Amino acid sequence: MTTNIRYKSRIPIKSDETTEEKQYVGFATLPNQVHRKSVKKGFDFTLMVAGESGMGKSTLVNSLFLTDLYKDRKLLNAEERINQTVEIIKHTVDIEEKGVKLKLTIVDTPGFGDAVNNNECWKPITDYIDQQFEQYFRDESGLNRKNIQDNRVHCCLYFIPPFGHGLRPVDVEFMKALHEKVNVVPLIAKADCLTPNEIKKLKDRVREEIERFGIKVYQFPECDSDEDEEFKQLDKELKECCPLAVIGSNTVVEARGQRVRGRLYPWGIVEVENQSHCDFVKLRNMLIRSHMHDLKDVTCDVHYENYRAQCIQDMTSKLTHDNRMESPIPILPLSTPDVETDRLIKMKDEEVNCYVIMEILERTKMALPLVLSLYLL
Amino acid sequence: SRIAIRRPGTDSDKNARPLSLSGHVGFDSLPHQLVNKSTCQGFCFNILCIGETGIGKSTLMDTLFNTNFENFESSHFEPKVKLRAQTYDLQESNVRLKLTIVNTVGFGDQMNKQESYQHVVDYIDTQFESYLQEELKIKRSLHNYHDSRIHACLYFIAPSGHSLKSLDLVTMKKLDSKVNIIPVIAKADTISKSELHKFKIKIMSELVSNGVQIYQFPTDDETVSKINTAMNGILPFAVVGSSEEVKIGNKMVKARQYPWGVVQVENENHCDFVKLREMLICVNMEDLREQTHTRHYELYRRCKLEEMGFTDTNPESKPVSLQETYEAKRHEFLGDLQRREEEMRQMFVQRVKEKETELKEAERELQGKFEQLKRLHSEEKSKLDEKRRSLEDEINTFSKKKAAAELLQGQSFNTNANLKKDKDRKK
């Protein structure tokens, strides 16, 4: 049983010839053009997965993208993990569907939360994210910007263990360290160990704790008012289900006459894509089918811009201290707000406004007799 | 001269010859007598549950003992690991059990877990210590002593499906010589059968390769050796606990209801709960208590006493009894005490002497001052006397002169008065 979320296509339907003939300009085909160009260019997406080992991260990634990314993985023993440090491992794959190409990068963080002493275990991860931002910043400010590689992390799935009563100190610290650098999407992992009541209780608890600790997780954008009711309903359901409780599987089992991805137990079969079993379908739809681009936009417009602004401010404050222009990045002279300049700008603005208003009045004065005559006719 | 007690099994066994009985004597009731006595006394059992917050320790205890203990939901934000012990009186048929359940609170929640195992070890040692203290008392009542030593430790492993966590390994290594560890896989309804098999093998191999000695069910008693050996091969037990009941067929059973099926706690096909209950409670409870006393407690006791300086053999490798060592220690201690007392007394005497000399010095000083003042005083006095005398002299002289002057004046007045009288008369 699969649910299709209707992706509202913006391609306009060609209007009937018999309806009123308006002046045809043709820019209604712009969405088409955008669509065509983007298919040609291809898309890229970087997804980070974080959480203790054994939470089912790799299995979920395999289930999401219907592939096997982790064929030759070596897992560490408990003894080796006592003093383990966090590593960052990137897997990049090119996948294609109906002519649309996607370059998918999965950033793994093995070792997170596994050592006996986990103080600041999130540091390698924040360092990595900052590195990607810095790389992009350099590239963007460079002279030759033809082939910029965007390696910035667009989304971070954080796996919360379902065995406890809510968030743990390591969960809170990690999310707080990352919430202003990347879109954090918390998930309840291995949800097949919780009954529906327990899931609800845990979700409420986690939501309340996220708010209490001031963690800024990724917020779904509000629906446009012109979206259809079905889409709005689905969007509302999605928002109420957060954090999503997921189950992943690497194996295909036979259930109710069909072959589905699932987990086989002596007491029943858990179907990964069954909406009454878990929120996997919602996650997939959200992540891939409806909000992938929004995740990228928020990363570019919010997180990256914050990083950039912070970077520039740090640099200029450093430069005013020592008078050496060592940085290779060209900095505009007007980066910090200047009170004098602001005032001048405001004055000029007002001047222009006055001029415009006067022009309008002149013109209406001239046009008034014309309008009246038209009206009387 | 000491009486040598011949123990059975030594080579002097040859002196004990087996006899055959010609009738029923009746000492075959000895085990029954023992049992009756223990039943009257009641039994005592202490379980320690170690596991992450929320892993299901309390629920499993409720399920095991078929009751509802008072349970508190702990927070994940405890700054350090604590242990909470609760004691209950249970009864089944005519057997009374005093059950103590000790739970860890906040285990595995801290960012830095290097100290986590220490709190558990300290708790276990404290119970051993209080038993040791009772044993060493002069007036003992071991008969009535409430034994709080931990008989079984259930270690709850999180069902990650991969292997043990680093914290699990470190903790079990520190505890294996102090308590009977029985590892269990908690919330096992999230692991499928094939994954479970691999998981158990991985866990056991990790324990073996790191030298962790978990509790082995005893195989020396023929009545239970078969089942115990089989169970030893199924460790760690994958358990599911539940305090809720679901109707299956026409019975209410303990189970967990999922949208995809119902996990029955007591269904051996679903989990190893029944096996755990059987092994822990029905078959080996008494052995667990015995092992705690004869192995773990004895080890603790030996280490503790050796620390205090007791040995079984003196430097010449001759056996030394506890009493002798104790006497020697006591003697040493008393000697020490006396020496200290002497020292203190000396010090006191010294101080007194010093004070005395000080005071004497002060007295002498004062005396000197007094003499000086006296001298000054008498000097002043004689000076004053002299002055007085000279003053008196002066006064005398003056009064004489005054008298003479008055006399003269009187005469001259008279003469003047006469002359005047004469003058007047002449007129």
Side-chain angles (χ1 to χ4, degrees):
Chain A
M1 178 176 90
T2 52
T3 11
N4 287 318
I5 201 178
R6 209 176 329 134
Y7 175 55
K8 176 117 180 157
S9 158
R10 303 270 177 173
I11 304 172
I13 316 152
K14 200 136 191 212
S15 57
D16 228 6
E17 293 293 345
T18 53
T19 52
E20 50 172 275
E21 262 191 30
K22 287 207 195 129
Q23 295 277 336
Y24 181 71
V25 182
F27 57 75
T29 59
L30 270 171
N32 268 12
Q33 298 176 32
V34 169
H35 191 263
R36 201 170 16 100
K37 276 210 171 245
S38 64
V39 169
K40 181 161 171 271
K41 189 166 150 211
F43 295 87
D44 65 72
F45 191 70
T46 306
L47 177 69
M48 176 183 271
V49 286
E52 271 181 12
S53 77
M55 287 289 109
K57 305 184 289 293
S58 322
T59 313
L60 188 74
V61 167
N62 282 343
S63 309
L64 272 173
F65 296 100
L66 295 174
T67 167
D68 192 1
L69 253 69
Y70 299 94
K71 254 193 279 267
D72 307 310
R73 192 165 64 137
K74 182 183 173 297
L75 292 168
L76 292 181
N77 285 333
E79 197 188 348
E80 292 161 333
R81 281 193 252 147
I82 292 177
N83 290 315
Q84 192 180 23
T85 48
V86 180
E87 283 177 76
I88 306 281
I89 298 185
K90 270 170 53 171
H91 303 264
T92 308
V93 288
D94 279 318
I95 45 186
E96 184 177 327
E97 195 178 54
K98 291 210 188 116
V100 178
K101 295 196 220 39
L102 174 65
K103 179 160 150 311
L104 176 70
T105 308
I106 306 282
V107 180
D108 241 332
T109 55
F112 176 80
D114 285 342
V116 176
N117 183 353
N118 288 317
N119 277 334
E120 298 213 335
C121 59
W122 38 260
K123 206 143 192 320
I125 301 175
T126 49
D127 285 346
Y128 174 80
I129 296 176
D130 282 341
Q131 256 173 39
Q132 307 314 308
F133 278 160
E134 195 187 318
Q135 182 66 48
Y136 193 83
F137 185 35
R138 280 183 197 276
D139 289 346
E140 189 187 52
S141 322
L143 291 169
N144 185 356
R145 305 202 298 184
K146 215 156 191 198
N147 290 317
I148 303 183
Q149 280 256 22
D150 186 4
N151 288 322
R152 296 172 296 182
V153 180
H154 300 124
C155 178
C156 174
L157 297 178
Y158 185 69
F159 289 70
I160 300 170
F163 311 126
H165 298 146
L167 293 178
R168 298 164 306 160
V170 66
D171 302 329
V172 175
E173 283 212 22
F174 177 82
M175 288 199 274
K176 285 204 86 147
L178 259 74
H179 64 172
E180 286 180 339
K181 293 187 189 287
V182 75
N183 297 315
V184 175
V185 177
L187 301 172
I188 297 179
K190 295 205 164 176
D192 58 350
C193 98
L194 298 170
T195 62
N197 269 347
E198 290 167 351
I199 290 184
K200 184 172 178 313
K201 227 173 90 170
L202 184 60
K203 283 188 180 182
D204 288 342
R205 192 50 114 59
V206 171
R207 260 202 300 266
E208 183 252 326
E209 284 180 341
I210 284 177
E211 194 164 324
R212 182 153 46 101
F213 287 107
I215 301 171
K216 300 184 207 131
V217 296
Y218 171 68
Q219 299 290 334
F220 300 109
E222 294 300 327
C223 267
D224 288 337
S225 50
D226 63 346
E227 297 283 0
D228 58 17
E229 276 308 311
E230 193 190 328
F231 188 81
K232 280 198 194 160
Q233 179 64 24
L234 288 166
D235 192 63
K236 184 161 166 285
E237 274 176 26
L238 182 63
K239 285 190 181 146
E240 283 170 2
C241 262
C242 282
L244 298 172
V246 293
I247 302 173
S249 171
N250 278 329
T251 53
V252 175
V253 292
E254 179 106 14
R256 294 176 289 131
Q258 286 181 331
R259 290 184 65 74
V260 289
R261 264 198 188 232
R263 290 174 62 74
L264 178 65
Y265 289 116
W267 49 86
I269 301 176
V270 181
E271 295 164 47
V272 165
E273 292 187 12
N274 185 333
Q275 294 240 44
S276 59
H277 288 187
C278 69
D279 298 329
F280 174 80
V281 172
K282 291 200 175 73
L283 174 68
R284 183 181 57 196
N285 289 342
M286 183 278 284
L287 191 63
I288 304 175
R289 296 185 189 173
S290 49
H291 288 81
M292 191 183 251
H293 212 84
D294 183 66
L295 286 162
K296 288 180 72 169
D297 284 344
V298 175
T299 309
C300 296
D301 298 340
V302 178
H303 299 299
Y304 172 68
E305 289 301 316
N306 281 343
Y307 173 83
R308 184 172 168 279
Q310 185 64 44
C311 223
I312 294 179
Q313 265 195 354
D314 289 345
M315 270 198 285
T316 46
S317 67
K318 214 166 70 98
L319 282 173
T320 52
H321 277 255
D322 28 280
N323 244 320
R324 288 170 284 147
M325 293 276 254
E326 287 249 24
S327 91
I329 299 168
I331 303 163
L332 300 166
L334 211 68
S335 50
T336 50
D338 196 8
V339 182
E340 188 58 36
T341 335
D342 260 351
R343 205 167 55 81
L344 280 168
I345 291 174
K346 263 206 192 116
M347 247 171 46
K348 282 279 172 215
D349 257 341
E350 277 169 13
E351 259 187 68
V352 170
N353 278 347
C354 289
Y355 182 70
V356 167
I357 290 172
M358 282 204 326
E359 268 290 323
I360 293 174
L361 281 172
E362 283 293 324
R363 298 227 180 141
T364 42
K365 246 197 287 186
M366 287 197 307
L368 201 56
L370 201 66
V371 170
L372 275 172
S373 55
L374 275 170
Y375 178 66
L376 288 170
L377 282 171
Chain B
S1 62
R2 294 145 99 214
I3 304 167
I5 301 168
R6 298 250 152 78
R7 290 240 182 92
T10 61
D11 14 64
S12 31
D13 222 4
K14 299 185 204 112
N15 296 336
R17 52 200 172 96
L19 279 176
S20 56
L21 307 168
S22 52
H24 179 78
V25 181
F27 58 76
D28 60 349
S29 70
L30 275 169
H32 292 290
Q33 295 177 28
L34 184 62
V35 166
N36 279 340
K37 180 156 168 250
S38 339
T39 316
C40 284
Q41 271 181 323
F43 295 86
C44 154
F45 195 64
N46 308 321
I47 302 184
L48 168 64
C49 292
I50 306 181
E52 286 173 13
T53 310
I55 200 83
K57 308 181 284 292
S58 314
T59 310
L60 186 69
M61 288 296 112
D62 282 354
T63 320
L64 262 177
F65 291 99
N66 225 342
T67 172
N68 241 318
F69 299 119
E70 325 137 356
N71 292 318
F72 313 95
E73 195 180 83
S74 318
S75 135
H76 280 282
F77 293 90
E78 298 280 346
K80 47 180 199 152
V81 177
K82 292 192 292 207
L83 284 103
R84 185 168 49 220
Q86 284 156 300
T87 309
Y88 307 94
D89 280 314
L90 306 171
Q91 181 154 0
E92 193 175 54
S93 346
N94 61 338
V95 177
R96 281 176 298 118
L97 177 69
K98 203 179 196 66
L99 177 72
T100 302
I101 300 182
V102 186
N103 273 323
T104 55
V105 176
F107 188 77
D109 279 332
Q110 297 78 29
M111 289 293 280
N112 185 351
K113 297 172 269 211
Q114 281 168 337
E115 295 298 303
S116 298
Y117 71 81
Q118 192 60 52
H119 301 279
V120 184
V121 166
D122 289 345
Y123 180 86
I124 296 175
D125 280 347
T126 311
Q127 311 318 308
F128 280 154
E129 183 65 32
S130 48
Y131 191 88
L132 182 64
Q133 291 299 327
E134 184 65 30
E135 221 185 24
L136 292 175
K137 273 194 193 159
I138 298 173
K139 202 161 176 201
R140 317 197 287 198
S141 58
L142 281 173
H143 183 84
N144 287 331
Y145 178 73
H146 174 214
D147 187 5
S148 60
R149 299 172 295 181
I150 302 291
H151 301 124
C153 168
L154 289 178
Y155 194 95
F156 287 70
I157 298 170
S160 66
H162 290 168
S163 66
L164 287 175
K165 290 197 183 164
S166 47
L167 177 64
D168 298 339
L169 194 60
V170 165
T171 310
M172 282 202 264
K173 199 130 175 49
K174 292 282 179 190
L175 292 177
D176 67 350
S177 57
K178 290 196 177 283
V179 75
N180 299 316
I181 300 181
I182 302 177
V184 293
I185 299 174
K187 300 204 169 178
D189 54 355
T190 190
I191 315 182
S192 67
K193 262 212 157 88
S194 52
E195 290 167 353
L196 187 62
H197 187 65
K198 269 192 266 170
F199 191 35
K200 283 190 182 184
I201 292 179
K202 185 79 170 110
I203 292 176
M204 291 312 279
S205 81
E206 279 192 326
L207 289 175
V208 163
S209 63
N210 284 287
V212 176
Q213 304 258 14
I214 59 170
Y215 176 72
Q216 295 292 312
F217 303 118
T219 50
D220 46 5
D221 180 357
E222 327 162 323
T223 42
V224 292
S225 72
K226 192 154 164 247
I227 188 173
N228 276 350
T229 326
M231 291 298 158
N232 275 332
I234 301 183
L235 283 172
F237 292 128
V239 292
V240 174
S242 173
S243 22
E244 281 150 19
E245 298 194 327
V246 172
K247 198 175 179 92
I248 303 276
N250 54 355
K251 281 203 303 172
M252 292 296 279
V253 293
K254 283 195 279 262
R256 286 174 65 74
Q257 175 120 53
Y258 289 108
W260 49 85
V262 179
V263 182
Q264 295 156 42
V265 168
E266 286 173 321
N267 183 334
E268 293 202 56
N269 214 10
H270 289 189
C271 71
D272 300 331
F273 172 80
V274 172
K275 297 188 178 81
L276 174 68
R277 186 176 57 194
E278 181 101 356
M279 286 292 106
L280 181 66
I281 303 178
C282 308
V283 177
N284 297 306
M285 202 185 233
E286 187 54 36
D287 182 72
L288 284 161
R289 284 163 21 116
E290 200 182 301
Q291 290 285 327
T292 307
H293 183 70
T294 55
R295 193 146 65 95
H296 302 294
Y297 170 69
E298 284 301 311
L299 181 64
Y300 175 84
R301 181 177 169 278
R302 196 170 74 215
C303 292
K304 213 55 201 309
L305 292 179
E306 273 174 1
E307 246 177 73
M308 289 206 277
F310 291 93
T311 47
D312 274 345
T313 55
N314 66 13
E316 287 112 50
S317 299
K318 286 216 215 88
V320 172
S321 81
L322 187 71
Q323 196 180 14
E324 284 175 22
T325 321
Y326 188 69
E327 274 302 306
K329 283 246 146 198
R330 189 159 163 274
H331 206 68
E332 201 187 310
F333 180 69
L334 283 174
D336 215 13
L337 201 69
Q338 263 185 342
R339 208 173 9 95
R340 293 257 201 87
E341 237 184 280
E342 202 47 50
E343 257 174 58
M344 282 180 85
R345 201 179 305 134
Q346 292 287 16
M347 213 166 39
F348 182 69
V349 167
Q350 184 75 11
R351 287 255 192 87
V352 167
K353 274 212 185 103
E354 279 174 20
K355 260 301 180 194
E356 259 185 9
T357 40
E358 254 180 61
L359 284 171
K360 275 216 173 82
E361 201 47 58
E363 212 185 315
R364 238 180 287 135
E365 238 175 281
L366 274 172
Q367 188 77 5
K369 277 206 182 128
F370 178 65
E371 299 278 313
Q372 202 185 22
L373 277 173
K374 205 160 132 194
R375 235 182 299 126
L376 275 169
H377 182 250
S378 50
E379 269 179 34
E380 289 274 331
K381 191 155 180 252
S382 48
K383 271 199 196 137
L384 276 173
D385 279 342
E386 232 182 84
K387 274 202 179 147
R388 183 154 31 109
R389 247 179 281 127
S390 61
L391 191 65
E392 277 180 4
D393 283 342
E394 270 187 46
I395 291 175
N396 280 342
T397 326
F398 182 68
S399 32
K400 278 194 193 135
K401 274 194 181 162
K402 187 173 160 191
E406 277 180 356
L407 201 64
L408 221 67
Q409 203 172 42
Q411 277 178 349
S412 85
F413 186 67
N414 275 338
T415 328
N416 273 349
N418 286 340
L419 273 174
K420 202 174 174 201
K421 252 201 288 194
D422 285 341
K423 247 188 193 166
D424 283 341
R425 256 195 267 137
K426 270 178 188 179
K427 276 185 187 152

